[in-house]
Amino acid sequence: MELRTAASPRDVKHYTTQRLREEFLIQNVFVPDEIRLVYSHIDRIITGSATPAEKELKLVAGQELRAEYFLQRREMGVINIGGPGCICVDGRTFEVAPREGMYIGMGKRDITFSSTDKENPAKFYINSAPAHTSYPTVLIKREGTPEEDVVIIKEENKVELGSLEQSNHRTICKYILPGQVESCQLEMGMTSLEPGSVWNTMPCHTHDRRMEVYLYFDMPEDAFVMHYMGEPQETRHIVMRNEEAVISPSWSIHAGSGSRNYTFIWGMVGENQDFDDMDGIRNEDIL
Ligand SMILES: O=C(O)C(=O)C[C@H](O)C(=O)CO
Ligand SMILES: [Zn+2]
């Protein structure tokens, strides 16, 4: 597991392009037949993936957690951005179709990932955070009929906003948050931009009580997103390619404009789970 330390805004404004990328950008997120994880000291979020192709992959705690098993003191959210696959949690197998997710509660010991078709492997994107209690483990679907251990995302949690005129027409689909899927601190969701719209999270915001990680995807090789970070009056950009993630400290804006439309997964952890607790920054005030 790779370790990233926290960073002060007073230092970050002096970073070169390369240093900014080393601290905040996560590349090679999905590697076939590997579980790859990055541990950040910022709210101790773990960001990573399981990409089972030829073989089943088992999640283990590793040296860094000094735990008997990965979720001994943690919770995790997973969203599959690849082909169909399965996640087995303590002997119970969940079939996870493309764009479906899971919340796996603290205390679940044995977690394995597999793909249905090795030619079109599942790509399980993972966010995990420290937890204090165990909430139910559920499969999260965007549509369908609720069943035992299966939650359907409520219509009120599919929020369309922005406009083509402002190049930011998009839908925020909230997978894990209070009232939808309960968790200790983790919130996760997926935002999809309409064709012709390229701006996410604009007008932008900060939220001092939560940090956030974005994973950009659904982009061809030659496309990119200029991801903007930094204090609102000290903005910097990171050029991001398909299936790369970026860490955003609580003091930083997190927005992007792409060379075309794209999709991204956001994950937040921290002091509260109030999605609307944001400090909006007026377009006139950003520097
Ligand atoms: O496009 C957007 O706007 C978002 O998806 C915003 C993120 O969900 C976010 O930053 C939540 O704090
Ligand atoms: Zn945010």
Side-chain angles (χ1 to χ4, degrees):
M1 205 179 314
E2 184 190 334
L3 178 78
R4 304 275 178 109
T5 56
S8 157
R10 291 167 70 184
D11 296 331
V12 171
K13 65 182 175 189
H14 301 294
Y15 285 0
T16 59
T17 301
Q18 189 191 337
R19 180 79 192 279
L20 210 56
R21 293 172 70 84
E22 284 167 9
E23 298 289 342
F24 301 108
L25 177 65
I26 304 175
Q27 295 183 290
N28 305 313
V29 176
F30 299 97
V31 175
D33 286 323
E34 282 189 27
I35 290 181
R36 293 178 72 86
L37 301 168
V38 173
Y39 185 118
S40 169
H41 279 174
I42 304 175
D43 284 314
R44 298 194 178 268
I45 193 169
I46 293 178
T47 300
S49 69
T51 315
E54 300 283 343
K55 57 181 186 187
E56 184 178 270
L57 297 173
K58 184 173 165 55
L59 186 64
V60 293
Q63 267 301 102
E64 296 81 357
L65 296 189
R66 299 264 165 101
E68 279 177 48
Y69 53 95
F70 191 85
L71 293 186
Q72 189 177 13
R73 300 182 298 263
R74 293 188 152 261
E75 59 184 357
M76 70 188 264
V78 185
I79 298 179
N80 181 11
I81 67 157
C86 291
I87 304 179
C88 185
V89 181
D90 285 349
R92 163 103 198 253
T93 301
F94 294 85
E95 286 179 18
V96 188
R99 311 286 145 135
E100 290 182 353
M102 275 199 80
Y103 171 80
I104 308 177
M106 186 185 92
K108 296 294 181 192
R109 275 179 178 264
D110 293 318
I111 300 167
T112 55
F113 302 90
S114 58
S115 285
T116 308
D117 173 10
K118 64 178 182 186
E119 303 302 328
N120 179 27
K123 291 179 178 176
F124 295 111
Y125 176 66
I126 295 170
N127 281 168
S128 166
H132 59 274
T133 193
S134 183
Y135 283 105
T137 293
V138 289
L139 177 66
I140 307 162
K141 291 174 179 265
R142 294 169 77 108
E143 263 125 37
T145 319
E147 299 162 43
E148 200 189 345
D149 302 333
V150 179
V151 169
I152 311 299
I153 298 176
K154 297 174 182 172
E155 284 309 307
E156 72 202 51
N157 285 327
K158 297 172 187 168
V159 183
E160 191 178 341
L161 73 172
S163 65
L164 187 56
E165 290 72 24
Q166 291 176 299
S167 316
N168 65 352
H169 187 195
R170 62 203 192 280
T171 301
I172 302 183
C173 193
K174 301 171 184 171
Y175 283 57
I176 302 172
L177 83 166
Q180 172 71 72
V181 169
E182 301 308 319
S183 67
C184 296
Q185 59 166 321
L186 181 65
E187 293 180 276
M188 276 181 93
M190 187 187 292
T191 300
S192 316
L193 279 82
E194 297 296 325
S197 281
V198 296
W199 280 97
N200 79 70
T201 324
M202 192 52 68
C204 64
H205 62 255
T206 56
H207 26 69
D208 250 332
R209 284 146 298 279
R210 296 181 308 283
M211 63 82 68
E212 190 153 358
V213 178
Y214 279 6
L215 170 83
Y216 289 104
F217 63 104
D218 274 351
M219 300 192 289
E221 290 250 308
D222 64 345
F224 62 89
V225 171
M226 290 281 183
H227 178 81
Y228 304 104
M229 64 164 300
E231 291 178 300
Q233 276 87 40
E234 280 285 352
T235 62
R236 302 288 185 274
H237 75 266
I238 297 182
V239 175
M240 303 207 34
R241 306 283 169 183
N242 192 36
E243 298 182 356
E244 294 184 339
V246 64
I247 296 169
S248 172
S250 302
W251 47 263
S252 174
I253 66 158
H254 37 282
S257 58
S259 57
R260 49 160 292 146
N261 69 325
Y262 51 89
T263 310
F264 67 102
I265 293 173
W266 44 270
M268 290 190 278
V269 299
E271 181 71 27
N272 68 9
Q273 294 182 293
D274 181 357
F275 186 90
D276 295 319
D277 170 31
M278 301 171 179
D279 295 305
I281 292 130
R282 298 186 323 150
N283 281 357
E284 296 91 314
D285 295 336
I286 196 159
L287 283 176

